[in-house]
Structure formats: structure tokens, C-alpha cells
Amino acid sequence: MLSKRLKAIADLVPLNAKVIDIGTDHAYLPIYLYLNDITKDITATDISQNVLNGSLNNLEKYGLKEKIKLIKSDGFKNVFEAYDLAIIAGMGTRTIIDILKIKQLPKELIIQSNNELNVLREFMNKLDYKIISEVVIKEKNIYYSIIYYKKGKEKLAKHEVLFGKSNNLEYYKFLYDKYENLYKKSKQMIYLDYKKVLNEIIGKIQD
Ligand SMILES: C[S@@+](CC[C@H](N)C(=O)[O-])C[C@H]1O[C@@H](n2cnc3c(N)ncnc32)[C@H](O)[C@@H]1O
């Protein structure tokens, strides 16, 4: 039932944590976490009532209507309990950053943004969250980076802000080719810089 991307997220969730899935859509991830005994303490939210009607249908289908809490909420606005871990996946970085601009965030976050990962990493770093692990998966020819954050300071190198900490050689080679093509088309120097950084990382991994 779960996509490869959502399964990779589920694999990062610690056992028995109190979890909130922000922007749950179909609620597939909470259902998987519950049915696979990863945690029974799950809240799912979405900004859209229409979407939540679909989530509720899915919860009913699996007999989980009374087990998984559903909240209609823009980010954390209608969330009043504390959680060990929040999952925010399948949205763009700007939306994610808006959601994260609250006073009391959980100490652990799993974030999968669809774009501007460097902006996200920089924001999280300034918010004093450190990357515990970063997993890159490829599904239907798209690479997704899933980042597990914990509260704490860290110093990120330029290449880590730009391209993360996954150490995924295939992903870095894909990015290298992407920036090579973009440079050929646009002649923008920034792409040359990205290529240089990626070349160094790829070289180190292959050493
Ligand atoms: C593309 S879906 C991703 C669903 C699921 N998290 C996943 O990764 O497969 C994005 C969902 O986030 C919801 N959403 C967008 N902005 C939101 C916000 N500010 N607060 C809560 N949910 C939001 C949308 O309604 C939609 O259901």
C-alpha cells in the first residue's frame, strides 16, 4: 500500500513515539505506522476538510477511526498537545517553513520537501536542528530526500547545505549531470560551482 517514499519515511520513525503527521492527505503513513506496530500514538492533520474526508474513509476501511486522531489544521495551528516527532512530507520548502514557524516544535522532525532543499537545510540549521540522517530514494524517476532532524546545533559545510548528508553516490551523479545540462543551456556560473562541489563529494566517496 505504501509508496517507496512513504515506506522510507516510516522506516525512520522510532518505536512507540508519539507522532503527528502534518498534511497527511490519504493518511496512508499513519495507517501503516499503526498496523505495523511502529507506534499506536498517532495524530494526522490536514489543512483541507475535503482531504480529511478521504483520510477518514481510509481510517474506517482499516477499522482505525477510533485509533488515529484526525485534526483539521493549518500546520500546528489547531494542535494543542505535545509530540515526540512530527512528520512533514510531500510539500514544498516554503510551505514547510511556514508550518515550522511556531514557538514549540517537537524535538524530532522528519521532513521530506519537494524542492529548495538547500533553503530548508539552512532554515533548519538556524532553528538549531541537526541532521541525524538523510536518506535519498528514487521513485518513478524522481529523487526524494528524507531528513531526520533532532533539536541541537551543528555546523554544516557548504556541500552539506547544498546537497545534504545522504552520501548517495547515484544521487550526486544525477545532480552533477543535471547541473551540467543546466550550465550548457544557460551558461550560468552557479551551475559550474555546483558541479565543482559535486565533483569533490563524488571523488571523496569513490576514494
Ligand atoms: C502532496 S500531499 C502529501 C501527503 C503526504 N504527507 C505524503 O507525503 O504523501 C500534501 C498535503 O498537505 C496538505 N497541506 C498543505 N499545506 C498544509 C498546511 N499548511 N497544513 C496542513 N496540511 C497542509 C495538503 O492538503 C495535502 O493533503
Side-chain angles (χ1 to χ4, degrees):
M1 176 182 85
L2 272 198
S3 65
K4 190 174 172 188
R5 176 182 61 86
L6 286 178
K7 173 71 168 63
I9 293 172
D11 287 345
L12 292 176
V13 175
L15 282 181
N16 301 321
K18 180 170 175 170
V19 172
I20 184 160
D21 183 27
I22 301 281
T24 196
D25 201 349
H26 29 61
Y28 287 156
L29 183 61
I31 291 170
Y32 179 91
L33 294 176
Y34 193 97
L35 293 180
N36 288 278
D37 293 329
I38 294 170
T39 175
K40 302 286 189 198
D41 197 346
I42 314 164
T43 299
T45 79
D46 207 282
I47 197 170
S48 151
Q49 187 56 53
N50 213 15
V51 163
L52 284 173
N53 295 340
S55 327
L56 185 60
N57 273 343
N58 284 334
L59 292 188
E60 280 169 347
K61 202 159 97 189
Y62 288 91
L64 297 178
K65 190 180 151 210
E66 312 298 332
K67 305 289 185 188
I68 293 174
K69 203 187 290 174
L70 279 185
I71 303 177
K72 179 176 181 298
S73 179
D74 174 356
F76 289 91
K77 285 182 187 158
N78 293 333
V79 174
F80 303 111
E81 281 180 45
Y83 290 84
D84 301 323
L85 169 76
I87 300 167
I88 310 174
M91 297 174 219
T93 283
R94 302 289 159 171
T95 305
I96 293 172
I97 286 178
D98 280 346
I99 289 172
L100 293 174
K101 283 182 181 158
I102 58 161
K103 275 190 196 137
Q104 282 278 310
L105 278 171
K107 286 199 175 72
E108 300 187 18
L109 299 163
I110 296 176
I111 303 183
Q112 182 267 306
S113 168
N114 291 336
N115 57 29
E116 296 185 292
L117 292 170
N118 57 328
V119 176
L120 173 73
R121 292 192 196 96
E122 214 147 19
F123 176 83
M124 294 304 289
N125 188 258
K126 286 197 185 118
L127 210 59
D128 287 339
Y129 276 83
K130 57 184 177 189
I131 298 173
I132 299 302
S133 63
E134 182 160 352
V135 178
V136 170
I137 62 109
K138 188 181 180 187
E139 185 170 51
K140 293 185 185 153
N141 247 7
I142 299 173
Y143 284 94
Y144 297 98
S145 183
I146 299 157
I147 312 178
Y148 187 179
Y149 281 105
K150 275 193 188 174
K151 191 73 187 154
K153 288 182 193 301
E154 75 174 333
K155 219 173 151 44
L156 285 180
K158 176 183 169 182
H159 72 270
E160 291 170 332
V161 172
L162 285 173
F163 306 117
K165 286 181 146 189
S166 70
N167 271 334
N168 185 316
L169 188 58
E170 186 192 299
Y171 174 58
Y172 293 147
K173 284 182 175 171
F174 158 80
L175 289 176
Y176 183 92
D177 291 344
K178 173 177 147 182
Y179 292 124
E180 184 156 66
N181 286 332
L182 284 170
Y183 177 70
K184 275 185 197 151
K185 278 187 200 146
S186 69
K187 296 290 175 222
Q188 282 188 45
M189 297 308 281
I190 186 83
Y191 298 128
L192 272 189
D193 187 36
Y194 289 170
K195 274 178 52 181
K196 185 168 167 280
V197 175
L198 283 160
N199 210 18
E200 282 167 14
I201 314 175
I202 290 168
K204 272 189 198 148
I205 296 177
Q206 284 177 331
D207 260 359

